[in-house]
């Protein structure tokens, strides 16, 4: 990773002094440093960095502003501001592991297409930070970002399968794939219908890891590698970010990486319906009625609501073995972004205990999520005059809730299920990462899974 996490302080390691907003006088700094900070207008504003010169004119350290309230991931600003070299915290952060993770994540650069990795910065881990845990979290999040940032010409369904196989090989997991017309033979008709128009054949990727006797945790990720909208084609402006429509798949792979690297006591299964919603003579059409794996028939009100179709077949498969925990993640609706913006993914569950655990984990690890209701009266909006259900409503209201209710119809046997409607993207640079692909909700989920199945 661009920021190297170090176990021990080196002789040339320089100090990072933490300063709260308007807290210079109480920061325990030398008078000469105080005078330098005041002369430069440094007041401890969040994310601000000020280099401190030594008596010999060389760099002697930096001041880092933590603002009114210290934010762990906000320490990521240091990754891009620190001069090259080795650094340590002269002041212990309130949340040392989050602070170190923030710095590690802030150093991410997507280099596949020639961008330079940047300077070499080493951070001595503060006391209380677990180096192994931080490394596996950062590596998993970088995996998510790399997958989402890669354009579809290099991350279509076959390339996504290759990425799953690579991850599986590094952890001794098994991978099975149902490809092309075999999807019809194996009863995954909606995955086939959505992906059949693409030159890169649709597939269901099935990764398994861990002891068969361990509690079952199944993750399902939307792997729509590009979404034109199908015959209900999107405008050009709406296709610019559609390489990220496999962000659900990328995030469940990141979560799987965390679980396997930590060797949690679970039997893990990851299901990814990998397709491209393309346009050709074989594309599925508005008004078509599709058979699903579960046996429910679905009228297509809009071909641009394809993610829920491929997820439905995968969820039906997952539900058949009634895992102890079933989680799906998908870049599913624009309505979720309208309601909560890009940074706060909604999640849906009927399991009150799980909802409480997720909320507590979200706050503890600074991984924001927000519970939304599975509002049963809206379920009738999915009615169809010719089939068991429609894939959209006609009024356009409550789009994220409606999509969650659609998916819920395909999860009947599993008691503990949660759906995450994520964005998987930073629209602008953040302290903890640049604009581009992003991991969302998986650190909170990893904390819950680790606690539940310890």
């Amino acid at each position: 990773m661009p920021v190297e996490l170090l176990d021990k302080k080196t002789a040339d390691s320089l100090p990072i002094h933490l300063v709260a907003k308007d807290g210079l006088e109480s920061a325990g700094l030398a008078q000469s440093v105080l005078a330098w900070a005041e002369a430069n207008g440094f007041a401890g504003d969040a994310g601000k960095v000020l280099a401190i010169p030594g008596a010999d004119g060389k760099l002697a350290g930096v001041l880092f502003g933590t603002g009114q309230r210290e934010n762990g991931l906000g320490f990521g600003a240091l990754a891009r501001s620190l001069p090259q070299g080795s650094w340590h915290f002269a002041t212990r952060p309130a949340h040392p592991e989050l602070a170190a993770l923030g710095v590690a994540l802030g150093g991410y650069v997507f280099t596949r297409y020639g961008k330079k990795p940047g300077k070499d910065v080493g951070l001595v881990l503060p006391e209380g930070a677990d180096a192994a845990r931080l490394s596996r979290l950062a590596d998993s999040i970088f995996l998510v970002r790399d997958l989402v940032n890669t354009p579809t010409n290099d991350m279509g369904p076959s390339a996504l399968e290759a990425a799953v196989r690579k991850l599986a090989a590094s952890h001794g997991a098994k991978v099975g794939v149902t490809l092309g017309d075999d999807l019809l033979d194996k009863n995954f008709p909606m995955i086939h219908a959505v992906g059949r128009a693409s030159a890169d054949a649709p597939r269901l990727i099935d990764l398994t890891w861990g002891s068969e006797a361990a509690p079952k945790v199944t993750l399902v990720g939307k792997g729509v590698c590009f979404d034109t909208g199908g015959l209900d084609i999107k405008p050009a402006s709406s296709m610019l970010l559609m390489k990220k429509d496999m962000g659900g798949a990328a995030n469940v792979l990141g979560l799987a990486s965390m679980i396997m690297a930590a060797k949690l006591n679970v039997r893990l299964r990851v299901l990814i319906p990998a397709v491209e919603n393309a346009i050709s003579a074989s594309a599925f059409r508005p008004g078509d009625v599709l058979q699903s794996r579960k046996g429910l028939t679905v009228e297509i009100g809009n071909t641009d609501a394809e993610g829920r179709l491929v997820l439905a077949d995968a969820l039906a498969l997952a539900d058949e073995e009634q895992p102890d925990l079933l989680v799906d993640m998908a870049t599913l609706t624009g309505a979720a972004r309208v309601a909560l913006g890009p940074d706060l993914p909604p999640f849906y569950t009927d399991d009150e205990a799980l909802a409480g655990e997720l909320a507590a984990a979200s706050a503890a690890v600074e991984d924001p999520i927000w519970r939304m209701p599975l509002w049963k009266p809206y379920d009738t909006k999915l009615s169809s005059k010719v089939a068991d259900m429609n894939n959209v409503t006609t009024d356009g209201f409550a789009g994220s809730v409606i999509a969650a209710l659609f998916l819920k119809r395909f999860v009947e046997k599993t008691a503990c299920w949660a759906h995450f409607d994520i964005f998987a993207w930073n629209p602008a640079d953040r302290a903890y990462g640049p604009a581009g692909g992003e991991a969302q909700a998986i650190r909170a989920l990893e904390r819950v899974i680790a606690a539940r199945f310890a």
Side-chain angles (χ1 to χ4, degrees):
M1 63 183 69
V3 174
E4 184 181 4
L5 300 178
L6 308 171
D7 287 323
K8 296 180 181 179
K9 190 189 301 185
T10 58
D12 60 348
S13 176
L14 294 175
I16 303 167
H17 302 274
L18 307 184
V19 181
K21 174 69 174 173
D22 299 323
L24 275 170
E25 295 295 334
S26 59
L29 301 170
Q31 192 60 44
S32 59
V33 175
L34 285 175
W36 175 254
E38 290 169 358
N40 283 275
F42 181 88
D45 293 306
K48 298 296 183 182
V49 177
L50 178 66
I52 306 169
D56 57 359
K58 294 181 179 179
L59 186 64
V62 299
L63 303 180
F64 178 68
T66 59
Q68 296 283 7
R69 179 177 175 273
E70 190 175 302
N71 175 277
L73 296 188
F75 280 75
L78 284 165
R80 292 187 292 278
S81 300
L82 289 175
Q84 186 162 306
S86 176
W87 296 85
H88 66 272
F89 289 112
T91 315
R92 186 176 184 274
H95 304 286
E97 191 164 284
L98 276 175
L101 180 62
V103 177
L105 297 184
Y108 171 82
V109 181
F110 183 56
T111 58
R112 177 164 180 168
Y113 297 102
K115 190 173 179 65
K116 302 302 181 187
K119 58 201 171 191
D120 294 324
V121 172
L123 177 71
V124 179
L125 289 176
E127 185 179 350
D130 182 334
R133 174 175 169 76
L134 287 171
S135 291
R136 64 177 177 260
L137 289 178
D139 288 346
S140 299
I141 290 167
F142 290 173
L143 170 65
V144 176
R145 291 175 177 178
D146 283 349
L147 290 172
V148 177
N149 284 331
T150 304
T152 309
N153 58 310
D154 287 323
M155 192 49 64
S158 55
L160 183 54
E161 177 191 331
V164 176
R165 291 188 182 278
K166 181 179 179 181
L167 177 65
S170 65
H171 294 285
K174 297 178 181 178
V175 177
V177 176
T178 306
L179 178 67
D181 289 344
D182 287 346
L183 290 164
L184 296 175
D185 296 336
K186 298 292 182 63
N187 193 22
F188 300 106
M190 293 204 294
I191 298 174
H192 183 271
V194 172
R196 70 193 183 201
S198 173
D200 198 347
R203 66 205 68 204
L204 177 64
I205 306 166
D206 189 345
L207 176 150
T208 53
W209 173 89
S211 169
E212 288 286 343
K216 293 182 174 67
V217 173
T218 300
L219 311 176
V220 179
K222 175 186 169 185
V224 178
C225 296
F226 194 86
D227 182 19
T228 64
L231 291 174
D232 287 309
I233 191 170
K234 296 176 182 288
S237 60
S238 296
M239 280 193 244
L240 289 175
L241 284 183
M242 281 302 100
K243 68 176 183 179
K244 78 168 189 65
D245 213 22
M246 41 64 71
N251 271 271
V252 298
L253 288 174
L255 178 54
S257 174
M258 293 177 185
I259 290 169
M260 293 187 291
K263 295 180 170 56
L264 297 185
N265 181 36
V266 298
R267 184 278 202 173
L268 176 67
R269 188 180 195 185
V270 180
L271 295 170
I272 295 174
V275 301
E276 181 184 0
N277 188 18
I279 297 173
S280 75
S282 61
F284 74 120
R285 297 163 288 260
D288 282 358
V289 176
L290 303 182
Q291 190 78 22
S292 70
R293 179 179 182 83
K294 191 174 180 61
L296 296 171
T297 54
V298 181
E299 181 184 8
I300 303 304
N302 194 308
T303 62
D304 196 18
E306 85 300 328
R308 66 199 67 183
L309 301 175
V310 299
L311 284 172
D313 271 358
L315 283 169
L317 173 64
D319 191 49
E320 289 166 14
E321 64 173 10
Q322 301 180 57
D324 297 274
L325 174 63
L326 173 57
V327 173
D328 77 78
M329 307 188 81
T331 53
L332 206 59
T333 69
R337 313 290 79 79
V338 172
L340 298 176
D343 301 344
L344 187 58
F347 75 96
Y348 298 82
T349 184
D350 276 339
D351 189 309
E352 297 300 325
L354 178 62
E357 292 166 29
L358 285 167
S362 168
V365 301
E366 295 182 12
D367 194 6
I369 55 176
W370 193 262
R371 189 184 184 187
M372 295 274 275
L374 285 161
W375 185 244
K376 292 180 181 178
Y378 287 166
D379 197 59
T380 58
K381 292 178 177 291
L382 288 167
S383 62
S384 164
K385 291 182 179 179
V386 299
D388 292 322
M389 60 195 300
N390 203 300
N391 73 327
V392 294
T393 66
T394 56
D395 61 20
F397 293 136
S400 183
V401 178
I402 295 295
L405 288 168
F406 180 96
L407 297 178
K408 190 176 187 298
R409 293 197 184 190
F410 297 85
V411 181
E412 286 188 335
K413 300 175 183 177
T414 304
C416 190
W417 164 69
H419 159 61
F420 287 78
D421 190 343
I422 64 173
F423 193 46
W425 192 262
N426 284 330
D429 289 346
R430 312 295 167 90
Y432 52 81
E438 188 56 279
Q440 293 185 308
I442 61 175
R443 289 187 298 109
L445 279 162
E446 186 269 349
R447 186 179 178 94
V448 168
I449 292 167
R452 276 201 166 203
F453 307 111

